[in-house]
């Protein structure tokens, strides 16, 4: 009986150690995400209508980051129905 309890105690200590390591990883990821969010908020709040076009574009790109490896293959005009193929 004592042997079983000792094994269980060892297992729980290992699990706790693993959970502590995972907690540290999660806390680091949270800090990194909060840093990015904070930086984005600063970029957004630091411009106005009188800001330069370059600053407005920078803000837009920070807010709406997309994939750089994806491009449209064609464009279809709603008004005329023309289709433009991109190469």
């Amino acid at each position: 009986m004592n042997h079983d309890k000792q094994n269980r105690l060892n297992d729980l200590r290992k699990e706790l150690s693993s959970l502590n390591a995972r907690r540290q990883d999660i806390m680091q990821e949270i800090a990194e995400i909060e840093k990015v969010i904070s930086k984005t908020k600063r970029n957004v709040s630091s411009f106005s209508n009188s800001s330069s076009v370059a600053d407005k574009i920078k803000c837009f790109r920070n807010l709406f980051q997309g994939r750089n490896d994806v491009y449209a293959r064609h464009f279809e005009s709603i008004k005329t129905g023309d289709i433009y193929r991109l190469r």
Side-chain angles (χ1 to χ4, degrees):
M1 180 90 142
N2 252 356
H3 183 67
D4 292 339
K5 294 288 184 189
Q6 187 63 43
N7 285 340
R8 180 67 179 143
L9 180 60
N10 290 338
D11 289 345
L12 289 171
R13 285 183 174 153
K14 286 178 187 177
E15 185 177 352
L16 183 59
S17 177
S18 176
L19 289 172
N20 284 332
R22 179 67 180 133
R23 182 179 183 271
Q24 286 300 106
D25 292 343
I26 291 171
M27 288 176 61
Q28 182 177 352
E29 186 174 354
I30 287 171
E32 290 170 2
I33 291 171
E34 286 174 339
K35 185 177 176 183
V36 169
I37 290 171
S38 174
K39 184 178 177 183
T40 301
K41 285 182 180 177
R42 278 195 311 266
N43 288 339
V44 170
S45 63
S46 65
F47 81 96
S48 65
N49 285 339
S50 61
S51 297
S52 70
V53 172
D55 288 340
K56 291 177 182 177
I57 290 172
K58 181 180 175 185
C59 176
F60 181 85
R61 287 188 175 183
N62 282 335
L63 290 173
F64 301 102
Q65 292 179 356
R67 292 177 55 182
N68 293 329
D69 62 330
V70 178
Y71 301 95
R73 294 191 303 203
H74 74 274
F75 169 78
E76 184 174 345
S77 172
I78 295 173
K79 291 181 182 179
T80 64
D82 292 342
I83 296 177
Y84 302 94
R85 302 237 180 258
L86 305 175
R87 296 179 185 172

